[in-house]
Amino acid sequence: MNGLCSGRVAVVTGAGRGLGRAHALALAAEGAAVVVNDLGVGLDGTGAATGPARQVVDEILASGGQAVAHGGDIATTEGASSLVRTALETYGRLDALVNNAGFLRDRMLVNLDEDDWDAVLRVHLKGHFLPLRHAAAHWRAEAKAGRTPTARVVNTSSGAGLLGSVGQGNYSAAKAGIVGLTLVAAAEFGRYGVQVNAIAPAARTRMTEAAFADTMAVPADGGFDAMAPANVSPLVVWLASAACAGVTGRVFEAEGGRITVMEGWRPGPTVDKGARWTPAEAGEAATKLLADAGTPLPAYGAQ
């Protein structure tokens, strides 16, 4: 099968449903052999089933592509290492890692208990770090052996991680952490032939349909479905391919037919006294700087 990712091997976490499924199918359609990871858990991360990953693999095989299922927990060292091993033992190589797995346990901060905080940070942030670490260790070894790869990592952040989202303190913190992780990994792994980028997608999935039911309905007239997960996947495929050479450390927002390069923190208005401020002076200086600064965008759900 020819395509943008022909001959490449890609791993996609959380690929049994929603965005991950769409990414896996799109990668396979462009010629990649795909390791489809999914624990098959519920929306809140409980339970487990091998069915969703297996169904996606069956879809890919039926269309003439190559795929294998992986049911390990990628937020554990063994699960993440076995994910990389599955790609290497099945296909002999690993070219792209798409970190996508996650779930929600939404609460207002005053009602958010420690278990819900830990569970969401674990699956989103640790579930990005561990597969990234094990994949990068393989790529570093390849580079040191004189076989520098053309490797790609696509992480999944969110608008909640960029702006915050009311009722999603744990999720927002995890997704913001993923942006920081992306920037560090891009800086550290470039010498090994690895490019690392992130997307902040918006689409209709189990994680979003309840919050955005009014705006995410499937068009009744059969027109363009702006909230279909498959709309996000073409950008992911490109970022996972060799075609995006030189693109690293970037965050892209993707929704419907729109792609936006997100521009993060950068210095705005500044003043330097050249000596220590008094508290009153610092407050006066900060007030003047704020008057010259742009107005920040509100958190999602803010009144």
Side-chain angles (χ1 to χ4, degrees):
M1 183 181 293
N2 295 321
L4 198 62
C5 291
S6 181
R8 292 175 70 78
V9 175
V11 167
V12 185
T13 69
R17 303 180 178 94
L19 284 164
R21 172 182 176 274
H23 300 340
L25 294 174
L27 284 160
E30 288 293 329
V34 185
V35 178
V36 178
N37 163 266
D38 203 284
L39 267 179
V41 299
L43 181 58
D44 64 352
T46 59
T50 59
R54 184 70 247 175
Q55 289 170 10
V56 175
V57 167
D58 289 344
E59 285 186 70
I60 292 173
L61 296 178
S63 66
Q66 300 180 74
V68 63
H70 177 271
D73 182 355
I74 46 82
T76 67
T77 295
E78 174 53 33
S81 63
S82 72
L83 180 67
V84 173
R85 285 199 310 272
T86 297
L88 298 177
E89 292 173 0
T90 306
Y91 301 113
R93 59 186 296 136
L94 174 61
D95 301 287
L97 167 64
V98 180
N99 283 316
N100 170 78
F103 56 73
L104 296 176
R105 293 189 185 179
D106 292 351
R107 300 283 190 281
M108 301 297 278
L109 286 173
V110 294
N111 297 320
L112 184 64
D113 65 36
E114 187 175 356
D115 288 344
D116 290 337
W117 173 272
D118 289 346
V120 169
L121 268 288
R122 176 185 179 275
V123 68
H124 287 279
L125 193 49
K126 192 175 181 181
H128 270 62
F129 161 65
L130 286 175
L132 172 62
R133 177 181 179 276
H134 287 278
H138 164 69
W139 290 323
R140 180 180 63 178
E142 289 291 285
K144 288 186 174 182
R147 299 184 296 269
T148 301
T150 304
R152 305 289 186 257
V153 177
V154 184
N155 291 330
T156 305
S157 183
S158 168
L162 304 177
L163 298 177
S165 180
V166 174
Q168 294 188 309
N170 49 2
Y171 178 74
S172 296
K175 291 302 190 181
I178 287 167
V179 172
L181 178 65
T182 298
L183 300 180
V184 173
E188 291 185 356
F189 299 155
R191 73 192 73 177
Y192 307 128
V194 184
Q195 294 180 186
V196 186
N197 294 285
I199 60 167
R204 184 194 313 104
T205 70
R206 291 190 304 166
M207 290 173 56
T208 60
E209 61 185 1
F212 303 107
D214 293 339
T215 59
M216 291 195 171
V218 178
D221 61 1
F224 176 56
D225 182 358
M227 301 313 299
N231 297 331
V232 177
S233 300
L235 176 61
V236 172
V237 172
W238 182 72
L239 289 172
S241 75
C244 70
V247 179
T248 194
R250 294 288 195 162
V251 179
F252 296 86
E253 193 174 71
E255 175 183 349
R258 179 173 58 85
I259 297 173
T260 305
V261 177
M262 305 303 289
E263 297 183 336
W265 294 106
R266 60 183 64 219
T270 185
V271 62
D272 185 354
K273 179 183 176 181
R276 183 179 301 158
W277 303 89
T278 67
E281 288 173 336
E284 182 179 356
T287 299
K288 290 180 180 178
L289 293 174
L290 288 169
D292 294 332
T295 301
L297 294 174
Y300 288 102
Q303 298 299 317

